Amino acid sequence: MAAATLSAPDAEKLSKLKAAVAGLHQISDNEKNGFINLVARYLSGEAQHIEWSKIKTPTDEVVVPYDRLAPAPDDASETKKLLDKLVVLKLNGGLGTTMGCTGPKSVIEVRNGLTFLDLIVIQIENLNNTYKCNVPLLLMNSFNTHDDTMKIVEKYSNSNVEIHTFNQSQYPRLVVDDFMPLPCKGHTGKDGWYPPGHGDIFLSLMNSGKLDALLSQGKEYVFIANSDNLGAVVDLKILNHLVSNRNEYCMEVTPKTLADVKGGTLISYEGKVQLLEIAQVPDEHVSEFKSIEKFKIFNTNNLWVNLKAIKRLVEAEALKMEIIPNPKEVDGVKVLQLETAAGAAIRFFDNAIGINVPRSRFLPVKATSDLLLVQSDLYNLVDGFVVQNKARVNPANPSIELGPEFKKVGNFLSRFKSIPSIIELDSLKVSGDVWFGAGITLKGKVTISAKPGVKLEIPDGSVLENKEINGPKDL
């Protein structure tokens, strides 16, 4: 179908690519078709053009304030009924490479020796125990994380949580010069391939057979979240609202701070709710997009989606999310990855809404500075939930900037004898060769910078309040 709108040179490009992809034995026919469809859409330039003047701020009917939701049912049997409709799905395709780890990011230790995955399993175990329900956990892996995850999941075999895994699609990287698949050029290892973003989740759920299996068990909603977002826990008020109002899709959004100015936001456009990403914004409106006055909320990537609606839309090939071209380089060869995002699917579902949730539902650990926050006394661990310490007066977390010496988890951990107390901290900036002793307390605004070639050790028990430290003399 898409080929009809292609120019002659592009149609020829596509047919050559199709012939080359047909010979790739490493992937399934479903993956080959999915990939060719994605490339055809990319070549036809069907990207949706946003007319800035048509953008409207969504009303409270479309983006519902969390405190307007009805309370979850009091009755335990009603709660069990609700939860028996639910599946929790964590996006588990990412490696911890940015934090210097080789395996899946979800197995980085977060707190008390427990990993992201441990905490997720404990949370669902508690739900299943408390309400005598059966909420299964699905992990969407990529070819990068599949083998390691399968080994790790074995340790939960005695838990009361059914854990299912499936892989998202594996697509060949495209060589920019001649538009051929990289694996055809001798790159047959992992670097010849890529996972096409989490927008692929709907197709992969269907292709893996998991979608039909869940529907046959009477499941109705899937709660999708990044495995590294510690705030993304099952919320009965949200589930109750969606079931009562028959919303096919819900995106959790939260108020934007200056740290989130690049995050996608929800808009009303031509009568439908949709996600607006910074990549879609015309250059002359980027500063307006980033302002927190006009666009006050951003997408947390916590999504709740009706399973029957996913089946209907995948079968109709209706989920044509915006394509995100991601240029890369492999061994000096310029390649292109075409990706999609799950949040962009909101406009294809009926009765789709956003819910403006408290910031506590967005606690991602993307870097060691985030790890410092969640390992500190700012948070307590309760039944697998990471909960903000009530002793903190300021509801916002302190801003933390750690230098490159702290970037890898191993280095980060070795530089702290113990994690400092930061309940009264507003901001911390650390640069250079800095080492922290045990039992340190940081308050207000603290800047610590070691001069090049100097090792700066902060002694055990130090209390640093509103201090700038450039050498031992300042301690």
mmCIF file of all heavy atoms in Angstrom, residues 251-270:
data_model
loop_
_atom_site.group_PDB
_atom_site.id
_atom_site.type_symbol
_atom_site.label_atom_id
_atom_site.label_comp_id
_atom_site.label_asym_id
_atom_site.label_seq_id
_atom_site.Cartn_x
_atom_site.Cartn_y
_atom_site.Cartn_z
ATOM 1 N N MET A 251 -2.301 7.879 29.428
ATOM 2 C CA MET A 251 -0.902 8.245 29.635
ATOM 3 C C MET A 251 -0.800 9.044 30.938
ATOM 4 O O MET A 251 -1.528 10.019 31.108
ATOM 5 C CB MET A 251 -0.402 9.116 28.477
ATOM 6 C CG MET A 251 1.020 9.638 28.679
ATOM 7 S SD MET A 251 1.466 10.811 27.370
ATOM 8 C CE MET A 251 1.635 9.702 25.985
ATOM 9 N N GLU A 252 0.082 8.598 31.821
ATOM 10 C CA GLU A 252 0.312 9.387 33.027
ATOM 11 C C GLU A 252 1.273 10.531 32.687
ATOM 12 O O GLU A 252 2.348 10.306 32.134
ATOM 13 C CB GLU A 252 0.941 8.526 34.131
ATOM 14 C CG GLU A 252 0.019 7.466 34.685
ATOM 15 C CD GLU A 252 0.655 6.706 35.841
ATOM 16 O OE1 GLU A 252 1.346 7.340 36.676
ATOM 17 O OE2 GLU A 252 0.471 5.484 35.906
ATOM 18 N N VAL A 253 0.828 11.737 33.003
ATOM 19 C CA VAL A 253 1.691 12.917 32.826
ATOM 20 C C VAL A 253 1.891 13.528 34.202
ATOM 21 O O VAL A 253 1.139 13.235 35.135
ATOM 22 C CB VAL A 253 1.051 13.938 31.854
ATOM 23 C CG1 VAL A 253 0.990 13.396 30.446
ATOM 24 C CG2 VAL A 253 -0.350 14.338 32.334
ATOM 25 N N THR A 254 2.904 14.369 34.331
ATOM 26 C CA THR A 254 3.143 15.007 35.621
ATOM 27 C C THR A 254 3.674 16.413 35.362
ATOM 28 O O THR A 254 4.173 16.688 34.263
ATOM 29 C CB THR A 254 4.108 14.129 36.464
ATOM 30 O OG1 THR A 254 4.011 14.504 37.841
ATOM 31 C CG2 THR A 254 5.554 14.253 36.020
ATOM 32 N N PRO A 255 3.526 17.334 36.321
ATOM 33 C CA PRO A 255 3.963 18.712 36.067
ATOM 34 C C PRO A 255 5.443 18.793 35.695
ATOM 35 O O PRO A 255 6.289 18.137 36.293
ATOM 36 C CB PRO A 255 3.680 19.413 37.403
ATOM 37 C CG PRO A 255 2.540 18.637 37.991
ATOM 38 C CD PRO A 255 2.798 17.207 37.598
ATOM 39 N N LYS A 256 5.698 19.601 34.685
ATOM 40 C CA LYS A 256 7.042 19.779 34.149
ATOM 41 C C LYS A 256 7.860 20.677 35.084
ATOM 42 O O LYS A 256 7.346 21.673 35.593
ATOM 43 C CB LYS A 256 6.873 20.489 32.794
ATOM 44 C CG LYS A 256 7.974 20.277 31.803
ATOM 45 C CD LYS A 256 7.781 21.210 30.615
ATOM 46 C CE LYS A 256 7.247 20.517 29.392
ATOM 47 N NZ LYS A 256 7.412 21.334 28.167
ATOM 48 N N THR A 257 9.124 20.294 35.295
ATOM 49 C CA THR A 257 10.047 21.215 35.970
ATOM 50 C C THR A 257 11.112 21.586 34.936
ATOM 51 O O THR A 257 11.110 21.053 33.825
ATOM 52 C CB THR A 257 10.752 20.534 37.169
ATOM 53 O OG1 THR A 257 11.626 19.510 36.647
ATOM 54 C CG2 THR A 257 9.763 19.912 38.135
ATOM 55 N N LEU A 258 12.039 22.455 35.323
ATOM 56 C CA LEU A 258 13.066 22.872 34.360
ATOM 57 C C LEU A 258 13.937 21.702 33.912
ATOM 58 O O LEU A 258 14.581 21.753 32.869
ATOM 59 C CB LEU A 258 13.912 24.004 34.942
ATOM 60 C CG LEU A 258 13.131 25.322 35.108
ATOM 61 C CD1 LEU A 258 13.933 26.344 35.878
ATOM 62 C CD2 LEU A 258 12.705 25.892 33.750
ATOM 63 N N ALA A 259 13.931 20.615 34.689
ATOM 64 C CA ALA A 259 14.728 19.440 34.304
ATOM 65 C C ALA A 259 14.047 18.625 33.200
ATOM 66 O O ALA A 259 14.656 17.741 32.601
ATOM 67 C CB ALA A 259 14.952 18.552 35.526
ATOM 68 N N ASP A 260 12.760 18.902 32.938
ATOM 69 C CA ASP A 260 11.990 18.053 32.021
ATOM 70 C C ASP A 260 11.561 18.778 30.749
ATOM 71 O O ASP A 260 10.634 18.341 30.071
ATOM 72 C CB ASP A 260 10.701 17.554 32.707
ATOM 73 C CG ASP A 260 10.927 17.151 34.140
ATOM 74 O OD1 ASP A 260 11.747 16.249 34.348
ATOM 75 O OD2 ASP A 260 10.324 17.746 35.040
ATOM 76 N N VAL A 261 12.237 19.886 30.425
ATOM 77 C CA VAL A 261 11.715 20.737 29.348
ATOM 78 C C VAL A 261 11.697 20.052 27.989
ATOM 79 O O VAL A 261 10.957 20.456 27.093
ATOM 80 C CB VAL A 261 12.478 22.078 29.244
ATOM 81 C CG1 VAL A 261 12.179 22.956 30.448
ATOM 82 C CG2 VAL A 261 13.968 21.851 29.096
ATOM 83 N N LYS A 262 12.485 18.985 27.834
ATOM 84 C CA LYS A 262 12.497 18.323 26.526
ATOM 85 C C LYS A 262 11.475 17.197 26.435
ATOM 86 O O LYS A 262 11.295 16.576 25.393
ATOM 87 C CB LYS A 262 13.890 17.759 26.230
ATOM 88 C CG LYS A 262 14.932 18.841 25.984
ATOM 89 C CD LYS A 262 16.281 18.238 25.669
ATOM 90 C CE LYS A 262 17.308 19.328 25.343
ATOM 91 N NZ LYS A 262 18.647 18.772 25.218
ATOM 92 N N GLY A 263 10.809 16.871 27.539
ATOM 93 C CA GLY A 263 9.863 15.742 27.557
ATOM 94 C C GLY A 263 8.641 16.004 26.702
ATOM 95 O O GLY A 263 8.180 17.147 26.581
ATOM 96 N N GLY A 264 8.102 14.943 26.082
ATOM 97 C CA GLY A 264 6.884 15.073 25.275
ATOM 98 C C GLY A 264 5.709 15.521 26.134
ATOM 99 O O GLY A 264 5.667 15.244 27.333
ATOM 100 N N THR A 265 4.750 16.217 25.520
ATOM 101 C CA THR A 265 3.596 16.723 26.274
ATOM 102 C C THR A 265 2.306 16.344 25.558
ATOM 103 O O THR A 265 2.327 16.004 24.366
ATOM 104 C CB THR A 265 3.707 18.252 26.442
ATOM 105 O OG1 THR A 265 2.709 18.700 27.369
ATOM 106 C CG2 THR A 265 3.515 18.985 25.118
ATOM 107 N N LEU A 266 1.186 16.378 26.276
ATOM 108 C CA LEU A 266 -0.103 16.080 25.637
ATOM 109 C C LEU A 266 -0.762 17.370 25.171
ATOM 110 O O LEU A 266 -0.764 18.377 25.883
ATOM 111 C CB LEU A 266 -1.048 15.355 26.614
ATOM 112 C CG LEU A 266 -0.766 13.877 26.858
ATOM 113 C CD1 LEU A 266 -1.814 13.282 27.801
ATOM 114 C CD2 LEU A 266 -0.737 13.077 25.558
ATOM 115 N N ILE A 267 -1.326 17.311 23.972
ATOM 116 C CA ILE A 267 -2.060 18.460 23.421
ATOM 117 C C ILE A 267 -3.407 17.982 22.894
ATOM 118 O O ILE A 267 -3.603 16.783 22.677
ATOM 119 C CB ILE A 267 -1.280 19.124 22.254
ATOM 120 C CG1 ILE A 267 -0.978 18.084 21.146
ATOM 121 C CG2 ILE A 267 -0.002 19.779 22.756
ATOM 122 C CD1 ILE A 267 -0.400 18.687 19.862
ATOM 123 N N SER A 268 -4.328 18.921 22.715
ATOM 124 C CA SER A 268 -5.543 18.612 21.965
ATOM 125 C C SER A 268 -5.316 19.132 20.554
ATOM 126 O O SER A 268 -4.896 20.276 20.365
ATOM 127 C CB SER A 268 -6.759 19.297 22.594
ATOM 128 O OG SER A 268 -7.093 18.637 23.788
ATOM 129 N N TYR A 269 -5.576 18.263 19.567
ATOM 130 C CA TYR A 269 -5.287 18.627 18.184
ATOM 131 C C TYR A 269 -6.391 18.065 17.299
ATOM 132 O O TYR A 269 -6.627 16.864 17.277
ATOM 133 C CB TYR A 269 -3.926 18.051 17.775
ATOM 134 C CG TYR A 269 -3.395 18.572 16.454
ATOM 135 C CD1 TYR A 269 -2.802 19.828 16.374
ATOM 136 C CD2 TYR A 269 -3.477 17.811 15.293
ATOM 137 C CE1 TYR A 269 -2.302 20.313 15.173
ATOM 138 C CE2 TYR A 269 -2.983 18.288 14.082
ATOM 139 C CZ TYR A 269 -2.397 19.545 14.029
ATOM 140 O OH TYR A 269 -1.903 20.017 12.832
ATOM 141 N N GLU A 270 -7.099 18.978 16.634
ATOM 142 C CA GLU A 270 -8.201 18.554 15.760
ATOM 143 C C GLU A 270 -9.142 17.588 16.486
ATOM 144 O O GLU A 270 -9.541 16.554 15.963
ATOM 145 C CB GLU A 270 -7.646 17.937 14.467
ATOM 146 C CG GLU A 270 -6.847 18.951 13.654
ATOM 147 C CD GLU A 270 -6.338 18.421 12.320
ATOM 148 O OE1 GLU A 270 -6.101 17.206 12.215
ATOM 149 O OE2 GLU A 270 -6.185 19.243 11.394
#
